[in-house]
Amino acid sequence: MNQEYFYYACAVAAVILSGLAKGGFAGVGALAMPVMALGVDPVRGAAILLPILILQDAVSVWSFRHSWDRHIAKVMLPGMAMGVAIGYVFAAQVSEVAVLGVLGLISTLFGLQRLWVERGGAMVLPSNSPGWIGTLFGVASGFTSQVAHAGSPPFQMWVLPKRLPRDTLVGTTAITFATMNWMKVPAYAALGQFTRPNLLATATLIPVAVAATLAGVVLVKRVDAARFYTLIYVLMVLLGIKLMTDALLA
């Protein structure tokens, strides 16, 4: 397949996955960057996706604006800000190959952890763990989100044991990640990633982004996603292993 066509296939798939996640399929978005990284280097891929994520955030925040947990957002957002700052320093100092390896490791560990939970494994954290634990997980979420748009795993590890109602979970995720994605804009600008080619690539993907997010909002209320999630997590592990292998062989 022509490299340009392969890139667009990966980019469209990544945007659809992130749109479904913003529409309510929490966790699915963690597969977006590994898929994107198959077609383009992860640093450029993350820059292309960030404005799309912000646009998709607007749709999901509006759709679930009445259903969110203010305490969780208050606890996690300061940590997320710290994590974004740490991630910026990290990204400015390391090579694209290192970012690829980190992305692969995050994807593999998250996929394995979610497969374990889906099969009855217990969550480590209690539902009433103190707020400072949530702030620490916010730092981890901000760091992984800044480096590779992969902030969902740490966020979910602290939030999911609370067993929030579905719409509250989706709304809380939408509000916190929308805020964090705006925090990342100055960092990406400082890294020189908002180039004309990257912004043009973003623009071509906007219609897919909006359609995928709206589809997620509709489907999340109608679809039993158990098998879908299992497939997503298996793919996440396989792609994570591939990305780590590519980084080691580069």
Side-chain angles (χ1 to χ4, degrees):
M1 180 185 293
N2 180 281
Q3 182 62 34
E4 184 176 358
Y5 290 149
F6 182 66
Y7 153 70
Y8 275 108
C10 293
V12 169
V15 169
I16 290 174
L17 288 166
S18 65
L20 292 176
K22 298 294 184 182
F25 288 94
V28 173
L31 188 58
M33 264 309 299
V35 170
M36 189 74 162
L38 294 176
V40 67
D41 75 75
V43 176
R44 184 182 179 215
I48 291 171
L49 280 181
L50 181 56
I52 290 173
L53 295 177
I54 290 173
L55 176 63
Q56 291 173 324
D57 285 333
V59 178
S60 56
V61 167
W62 176 260
S63 300
F64 295 95
R65 64 192 181 280
H66 299 303
S67 306
W68 61 288
D69 189 303
R70 286 163 178 77
H71 172 70
I72 290 175
K74 181 179 179 181
V75 166
M76 297 202 80
L77 282 172
M80 287 176 167
M82 293 174 59
V84 168
I86 296 169
Y88 161 72
V89 173
F90 175 84
Q93 300 297 323
V94 303
S95 66
E96 294 174 357
V97 172
V99 174
L100 191 70
V102 170
L103 174 59
L105 179 62
I106 292 170
S107 302
T108 302
L109 292 178
F110 179 55
L112 290 173
Q113 188 262 349
R114 291 309 305 161
L115 287 171
W116 179 70
V117 171
E118 292 289 323
R119 282 158 177 72
M123 297 297 293
V124 176
L125 294 175
S127 61
N128 61 345
S129 59
W132 65 269
I133 297 291
T135 301
L136 290 179
F137 275 92
V139 173
S141 182
F143 174 80
T144 53
S145 186
Q146 169 64 27
V147 172
H149 297 324
S152 291
F155 176 85
Q156 291 188 3
M157 287 178 69
W158 191 66
V159 173
L160 289 183
K162 299 181 181 301
R163 299 188 180 278
L164 300 175
R166 181 196 62 202
D167 286 359
T168 303
L169 173 62
V170 175
T172 303
T173 303
I175 293 290
T176 53
F177 276 80
T179 305
M180 181 168 61
N181 281 332
W182 275 106
M183 293 176 185
K184 288 150 58 175
V185 170
Y188 274 76
L191 291 170
Q193 290 301 315
F194 292 136
T195 62
R196 178 180 174 82
N198 286 353
L199 291 175
L200 287 174
T202 296
T204 63
L205 295 168
I206 285 176
V208 178
V210 174
T213 307
L214 293 174
V217 171
V218 174
L219 291 174
V220 74
K221 299 177 181 180
R222 301 182 181 181
V223 174
D224 179 2
R227 292 183 180 178
F228 177 63
Y229 275 120
T230 298
L231 175 61
I232 289 295
Y233 297 140
V234 169
L235 288 174
M236 199 174 296
V237 172
L238 295 176
L239 281 176
I241 292 172
K242 182 187 186 304
L243 293 177
M244 286 191 294
T245 301
D246 289 347
L248 289 172
L249 295 177

